[in-house]
Amino acid sequence: MGSAAADAVLPLDASTFAAESRAVVDFLEVYYRDIESYPVRPDTEPGRLRTLLPNVPPEDGEPVDVILEDVRRHIVPGLTHWQNPNFFAYFPMNASTAGFAGQMLSTGLNVVPFMWAASPTATELEGVVVDWMARLVGLPERFLFSGGGGGVLHGSTCEAVVCTLTAARDRVLSSLGHEAILRLVVYASDQSHCTFQKGARIVGIPPANLRVIPTSAASAYGLTADSVRNAVKADVASGLVPLYLCATVGTTGLGAVDPVRDLGEVARRYGMWLHVDAAYAGSALICPEFKDYIDGAELADSVSMNPHKWFLSNMNCCCLWVVSPGLLTSALSSNPEYLNNVGREGAAEVVDYKDWQIALSRPFRAMKLWVVLRRYGAGGMRAYIRRHVDMAKWFERMLDADERFEVVVPRRFSLVTFRLRPRHGGHDDMEALNRKLLMAINASGRAFMTHFVVDNKFVIRMAVGAAMTEMRHVQDAWELVQDKAKEVHATP
């Protein structure tokens, strides 16, 4: 028997690293080449994987080729294939060769840029990249580091929301006292992402103080300034304190857009923090034809968007910009002795991103986004976004031309919402019919879509945006929808 030192693994040997990395790349090459051969969503039962894998890990290490064979046999068949070009559900999580290369560099270098001193160029690259992105999406100068604001790369919108809610909360409580937290109120629409309800609970806002304001078809399901103003007036009259208002550009369910300028004026009038959530549609703002949707951003306190949704930046990556970084860092900073840097006295002001987020540790996300921007360029990304929008326009035209269907909300970006009209019967028949249609589409394995409910209508969502999707895939999806519509109409 060898000594413990002799038997120890060499986990970062350069030659082994190269060989095993090539094996993974080769595996993924085959996966992407054959991805259309898999059902988009698997036909599997809960608990299947536990019947295939042992109850304990191996005592001795196994070769990578053996592990990859088990991935092929046991893991891949049970996946929903988010990069399949026939994936039209939720919002696609974009992947790309450049995103993968950036992720490899980030993972391979494996630095932890929670402070400038912990990895100086990683921190500085993040500052450069978020300023690049701010300019691309058309944010005012005040959101850039060069304009007194700044940005950070989080993992998700939920993190961005919790951080900005915390900053807004502490800004108000610094003058009212901590006991006033029971009087703080958060406002969002019934189309806003549920992240805001979760975030409000996390930062201590009483559930009764979360205002979910109804929207309607009359405003294309956008949140109106009048409805917010009325809710705020009622709360102020009751002795409550308006804290935070969310405006969404491209809601999850319908792709609705809130009027940022109108809501910003209400927020300023009542001293509320205005956050603009552009998680999905923020990527489209790089195109001049969509810039009007962010009009009024100069009235906002913070803006977020997710490059991992529609900007080819593999999971995970969320840009958050704030006008007043000091409010964020004062709410989130901690300075234990072991993080003080000897020799930094008198050094130039630097960004320590540990104070811009919930966690201390963080990955080198800036490398991934930087590689994507360098590899494809602003022009390439605009062409990419427009290609998906054009596909969605075509799908919407096909629905409009077929009297069996109706488009529920006019398309703004690349999300199309539709439903099948029943031949007879009332609301229950319509909902049952569209549920059957969606189930038939997804059960085919040829496409995957999801649904939403608005005004008691069951709506099917066709979200075009996967990196590998071409017009032929959208045309095939339309043929599939037509075929399954015939089937469900024929079924009593």
Side-chain angles (χ1 to χ4, degrees), residues 20 36 46 73 114 128-129 175 177 184 187 209 240 254 260 345 352 357 416 425 439 452 455 464:
E20 296 189 355
E36 290 188 61
R73 292 171 54 228
F114 59 88
V128 170
V129 166
S175 59
L184 303 184
Y187 303 84
N209 289 12
L240 298 175
L254 304 171
V260 175
E345 295 81 0
D352 288 337
Q357 61 179 32
V416 183
M439 290 174 62
F452 190 65
D455 291 341
V464 182

Side-chain angles (χ1 to χ4, degrees), residues 167-191:
R169 178 199 66 190
D170 286 8
R171 179 178 67 173
V172 170
L173 296 183
S174 66
S175 59
L176 296 183
H178 191 74
E179 64 278 3
I181 194 171
L182 298 178
R183 296 163 52 203
L184 303 184
V185 187
V186 171
Y187 303 84
S189 88
D190 58 1
Q191 303 301 313

Side-chain angles (χ1 to χ4, degrees), residues 214-233:
T215 59
S216 70
S219 63
Y221 300 99
L223 184 60
T224 67
D226 284 344
S227 62
V228 175
R229 191 179 294 109
N230 291 338
V232 170
K233 285 181 177 178

